[in-house]
């Protein structure tokens, strides 16, 4: 099977250093495997989106020499696919409506214990939709970290696939999209390790072969906080990409040549594709871009 990777940012803000690490890592892995690198805008949550962020993200990728294959996909244009699958599961009993609030779940120990599973609720108003967990995943293999264990309660929890506010859940959308786009391997930050088990369980529920996973070291500041839009991470500079590219490549374990700063952006990216190998990836480290 030909390699197909992807970078899937959310337009809740501009790309920051952590985003760049994920973009470069996924790009280098795809191109080192002579594969395709797709870009998907994960615009599932309109209230959290920043106006103009989607187009700004694409412009930044181009400024940093990261050119995607094919057309950009937008989750906001794929709602019919998610709803169709949910309808099918509701009809078969694989999914069900749930009226439990976060407060109720927190009071019961923090995990949903199946209170609505046998109620047969038919009114979707003020309800989420949960997937019956018939394919729990208690561990998976990561290409860098080896075997990752998942807590039993988390692995066996019936999780939400459509929120009470009518928005589709990330886990469902990302798996349906990855299957539809033929993704063979996912390279992303270590902050997304936790939902991986649920995503693999969705592959199994859909009778699909799960993809491979590689979780990159997480970029954190001196206080141990990850660089993220939620933590108001500073956007990377579109007008002077070289310093950020070099810092991100060093973070990813590259030993850069002394004259590397004299290269063009395109030469830097091409060099990274040629010299990329998983064994160079470091353990989690602190870094201040």
């Amino acid at each position: 099977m030909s390699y197909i990777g992807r970078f899937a940012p959310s337009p809740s803000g501009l790309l920051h250093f952590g985003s760049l690490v994920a973009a470069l890592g996924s790009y280098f892995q795809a191109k080192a495997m002579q594969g395709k690198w797709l870009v998907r805008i994960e615009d599932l949550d309109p209230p959290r989106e920043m106006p103009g962020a989607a187009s700004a993200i694409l412009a930044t990728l181009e400024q940093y020499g990261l050119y995607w294959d094919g057309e950009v996909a937008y989750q906001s244009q794929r709602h019919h696919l998610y709803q169709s699958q949910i309808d099918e599961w509701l009809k078969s009993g694989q999914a069900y409506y749930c009226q439990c609030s976060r407060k109720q779940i927190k009071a019961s120990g923090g995990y949903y214990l199946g209170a609505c599973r046998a109620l047969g609720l038919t009114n979707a108003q003020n309800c989420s939709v949960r997937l019956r967990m018939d394919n729990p995943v208690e561990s998976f293999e990561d290409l860098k970290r080896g075997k990752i264990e998942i807590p039993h309660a988390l692995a066996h929890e019936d999780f939400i696939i459509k929120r009470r506010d009518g928005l589709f859940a990330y886990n469902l959308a990302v798996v349906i999209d990855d299957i539809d786009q033929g993704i063979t391997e996912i390279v992303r930050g270590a902050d997304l390790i936790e939902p991986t088990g649920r995503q693999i369980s969705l592959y199994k529920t859909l009778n699909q072969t799960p993809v491979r996973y590689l979780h990159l070291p997480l970029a954190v500041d001196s206080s141990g906080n990850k660089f993220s839009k939620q933590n108001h991470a500073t956007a990377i500079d579109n007008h002077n990409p070289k310093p950020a590219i070099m810092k991100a490549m060093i973070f990813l374990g590259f030993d850069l040549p002394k004259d590397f700063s004299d290269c063009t952006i395109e030469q830097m990216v091409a060099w990274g594709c040629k010299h990329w190998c998983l064994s160079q990836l470091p353990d989690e480290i602190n870094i201040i871009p």
Side-chain angles (χ1 to χ4, degrees):
M1 181 183 295
S2 299
Y3 186 104
I4 303 178
R6 50 79 161 171
F7 176 59
S10 164
S12 55
L14 304 178
L15 294 186
H16 50 76
F17 183 78
S19 310
L20 180 60
V21 168
L24 284 171
S26 61
Y27 185 89
F28 290 149
Q29 177 74 345
K31 297 307 176 181
M33 301 289 287
Q34 290 80 50
K36 293 181 179 180
W37 186 70
L38 309 183
V39 169
R40 182 172 69 232
I41 301 296
E42 300 199 330
D43 49 352
L44 271 183
D45 196 344
R48 293 182 59 236
E49 289 175 24
M50 177 180 132
S55 57
I57 286 170
L58 298 178
T60 297
L61 291 175
E62 291 180 325
Q63 288 295 317
Y64 279 72
L66 300 174
Y67 299 99
W68 53 90
D69 297 300
E71 295 185 1
V72 176
Y74 293 82
Q75 288 188 327
S76 59
Q77 300 173 4
R78 303 169 64 80
H79 289 183
H80 62 289
L81 296 175
Y82 315 143
Q83 188 60 54
S84 176
Q85 185 59 66
I86 288 174
D87 290 342
E88 183 179 324
W89 280 336
L90 284 170
K91 185 177 180 179
S92 69
Q94 186 70 61
Y96 58 91
Y97 291 113
C98 173
Q99 60 189 0
C100 297
S101 66
R102 290 184 180 180
K103 184 177 180 180
Q104 290 172 313
I105 294 170
K106 185 176 181 180
S108 66
Y111 290 103
Y112 174 72
L113 302 179
C116 297
R117 187 182 298 155
L119 295 184
L121 299 173
T122 58
N123 185 0
Q125 188 174 6
N126 295 322
C127 285
S128 61
V129 179
R130 290 184 181 272
L131 182 74
R132 189 182 297 273
M133 182 45 64
D134 294 334
N135 297 285
V137 174
E138 296 190 345
S139 67
F140 69 94
E141 288 294 323
D142 182 89
L143 292 176
K144 169 177 166 54
R145 302 155 192 273
K147 187 176 183 180
I148 302 290
E149 301 281 354
I150 299 171
H152 179 86
L154 181 64
H156 289 261
E157 185 179 41
D158 293 351
F159 59 87
I160 290 174
I161 53 177
K162 190 175 185 180
R163 294 166 22 178
R164 294 175 65 147
D165 58 9
L167 298 179
F168 296 101
Y170 165 76
N171 285 318
L172 174 70
V174 73
V175 169
I176 287 179
D177 289 341
D178 285 336
I179 292 171
D180 187 60
Q181 294 184 284
I183 303 301
T184 60
E185 186 174 288
I186 294 172
V187 179
R188 59 189 182 186
D191 55 323
L192 290 171
I193 286 178
E194 182 177 335
T196 302
R198 289 179 168 179
Q199 291 166 21
I200 295 173
S201 74
L202 278 166
Y203 275 93
K204 294 183 176 183
T205 302
L206 290 164
N207 295 315
Q208 298 286 331
T209 302
V211 298
R212 300 181 299 272
Y213 290 90
L214 168 64
H215 290 92
L216 300 169
L218 193 61
V220 299
D221 61 23
S222 57
S223 299
N225 299 314
K226 73 172 183 176
F227 287 97
S228 68
K229 296 162 188 172
Q230 291 87 346
N231 292 334
H232 309 292
T234 303
I236 51 178
D237 188 353
N238 276 14
H239 303 291
N240 185 25
K242 285 187 181 181
I245 287 180
M246 293 176 64
K247 192 166 289 189
M249 291 180 70
I250 291 171
F251 179 89
L252 288 168
F254 285 105
D255 183 12
L256 303 180
K258 291 183 179 180
D259 59 350
F260 198 64
S261 61
D262 296 332
C263 295
T264 65
I265 298 298
E266 289 71 21
Q267 288 171 335
M268 287 180 172
V269 172
W271 187 93
C273 294
K274 181 179 179 181
H275 292 87
W276 171 260
C277 63
L278 298 186
S279 61
Q280 76 188 36
L281 288 171
D283 295 326
E284 316 306 325
I285 58 174
N286 290 345
I287 186 167
I288 304 176

